[in-house]
Amino acid sequence: MTREIIDYGQFAERLRQQQQGRPRWELLHAVQQEWGYEDPGGEPGHSRWGGENRTDGIDWELPVPQALNEWWDSPLNSFAFNPRLYWVHTQWPPTISELELPPDSALVAPGGDRRVCVFMSEYHYSHAWGYLAAEAELPDPRVVVSVGGEWVVQSRSLSEFLMQLAFERMPAHYGWTLRVPRAVVDADPEIVRRLTASYRELGLLPWQEMGTDALSYGAPDAVVRHGRGPGADFAIVINARTREALVAVAETLGVDWSGDKAIRPPSEVPAPLEDLGPVTLAAGEADPRGRWTVLMRGHSAPPAVPGAAAALVPAPGTLRSVAANRSGTTLVAGDVDGSVHVLETDDESPETIVLTLHRAPVTALACLELANGKRLVLSGDEHGVIRYWNTRRKPMRIPFDRRATPVRALAAAQLETGPAFAAAWADGLVRIWDLESDAVAGLRLGTGIRFLGLDADGTLRVTDGHGTSALALDLAKLWPHRDLQLRLDGVDWGSLWTARGPGHMVPELIGKVASDDKKTAMDAVHDLYRLLVSKEASSTAAVPAIPFLVDLMTDPDNRSRSTLLLLIADLADVRQARGGRGDAQLAAVRAALPALRYLHDDPESPIRWAANELEQNCAASPA
């Protein structure tokens, strides 16, 4: 599908429409979506009270502007869901700054309140953003920024500032980036002349962060920031939604983009969707990896759900999905507004509980009662978000899973390995989770799935528009790394250290190395490099991690084998360290050599080369 090209040369007109009365957050929502930010579902991980809050310097008599309250309460507030996109500190309630407006400031009328209410600071506290105390009663006041010991206007309104802040931050994460040093631009003034001649300003006030005084221009699928101030190390920064758009701007400006790694790819890349045709399962068909076999194909109907489940939604026209556990003691229904209605009929005083867990229609539900009496509910929505919770506890804040395509079916069962969930998305991917180990299998079955059923004997029933297929699952092959995941849980990683702090992230990354998605697996290996590899053996987490990495390397289906083998080889390239860490780390890798020597004959040359590196590093003695 061809991606729509957005000409940011027209952005000033969009901004004008916003200023003339369009919904306050419409432009923020559009900018975030255009650059690839996706609503993660779930609940915010950062609240208004979670910033650098102070107990002094607050004037409780001043109202908080309506726009700031709305931003904190809105699911469009991407900062609340992912603060690391922004690198700012927030303050709630806004505090009175010690830096006041001078008596002759034109920002307030003579005799007016000359204080500033600070609601946000730059990450290094180099400056702060606030609004005038004299304008605190306005619903959407101007925003001022501290620059060189004085306050200057940054944005014409709070809502415009928060949109502009997202515009300043998100393209660097989600887009392609080329940064041109000041020295290059100073040496060729024609670059700026070509910029102003070729592209239109966005219509936003110059961005005044860290002395950059940056004016932004719009191009097809790209924005160009001209840092005019002394703090701008890079006088020109190009961010583009595609690499082609970035190259087009660079060539127009006449700047060199051909150097090694001059263009930076996006650091935030949405997980790719599958490109599958309709599901076509036939009796006797089997998965190439032996994970499932189709036992039969027929027209069996999905299990009936008690009609009382549908009655949980008061307005029948808003009902979207229903489910019940096998005993019928837990009934759930989902509606168009994203709410899940739950009734446990065997309670002494049954009462319907309504939880608004989704920001899209609830498209699928499943229930499961465990042997210990706990009851689990799984719900999926039109945005691809899955939520999971125990009916006796509050739902988890973060989604159980999320993909950028609607959830079409859910199922749950108690298998011989323990509780398991299954989900089907609209693009044809089916995932099956083992809850005890967090192991997950991805089955690319095809589009058009309407219902999933999961039986205790490991039978997966897949219903499409033409019938139902019964698939016998081989659990050992479905989750080949299930035991590895369980063993990972047996290590106290938090007490171990990596090159970047405690080892809490190590087990999660090792688990991702086993992913069916090549990029996920490769990214995890690269992250483990940064955490574990050190010639000084500074990482105490490396030794316990090595056996797990070796197990994954012996899996022929691993998607990161050559890079993973180099990681293991580099863990053997270690010098002596205090406490014998170097000896222990080298010994752990040497112990794995017998299991990996067969890789010298691997058909892939990068793996043969990495196997040779492993042998050489293991043969050397720590210096």
Side-chain angles (χ1 to χ4, degrees), residues 284-488:
E285 185 179 350
D287 175 48
R289 293 162 60 179
R291 297 175 296 176
W292 53 264
T293 302
V294 180
L295 298 176
M296 59 176 294
R297 171 80 177 171
H299 295 280
S300 59
V305 176
L312 298 179
V313 177
T318 67
L319 180 69
R320 286 295 178 270
S321 54
V322 292
N325 62 357
R326 294 186 183 278
S327 64
T329 53
T330 301
L331 307 178
V332 291
D335 64 30
V336 70
D337 296 321
S339 295
V340 178
H341 307 249
V342 183
L343 176 65
E344 294 182 295
T345 61
D346 54 348
D347 273 356
E348 291 185 5
S349 302
E351 181 180 356
T352 300
I353 299 172
V354 181
L355 302 171
T356 304
L357 299 177
H358 299 269
R359 290 188 285 278
V362 179
T363 54
L365 293 161
C367 304
L368 177 63
E369 184 170 357
L370 304 181
N372 60 10
K374 290 182 180 179
R375 296 175 185 181
L376 308 180
V377 175
L378 200 64
S379 56
D381 68 27
E382 193 69 27
H383 287 172
V385 175
I386 297 177
R387 303 291 301 272
Y388 146 65
W389 74 101
N390 178 340
T391 59
R392 293 293 187 264
R393 302 180 65 181
K394 289 183 178 180
M396 296 174 62
R397 297 180 66 87
I398 61 174
F400 179 73
D401 202 357
R402 188 201 187 285
R403 301 182 67 247
T405 188
V407 179
R408 288 295 179 237
L410 295 169
Q414 180 78 27
L415 307 180
E416 63 179 69
T417 50
F421 288 160
W425 280 271
D427 65 341
L429 179 70
V430 173
R431 281 182 176 161
I432 307 177
W433 294 268
D434 172 69
L435 293 190
E436 288 190 5
S437 66
D438 291 329
V440 59
L443 310 182
R444 292 162 177 80
L445 299 185
T447 59
I449 295 174
R450 296 182 176 180
F451 175 82
L452 289 178
L454 189 57
D455 297 335
D457 63 357
T459 300
L460 178 69
R461 286 172 286 111
V462 181
T463 300
D464 55 47
H466 305 287
T468 298
S469 302
L471 281 64
L473 301 176
D474 185 323
L475 301 185
K477 294 179 179 177
L478 189 69
W479 300 308
H481 303 299
R482 181 177 184 273
D483 290 340
L484 179 144
Q485 297 277 9
L486 293 173
R487 285 189 286 119
L488 278 172

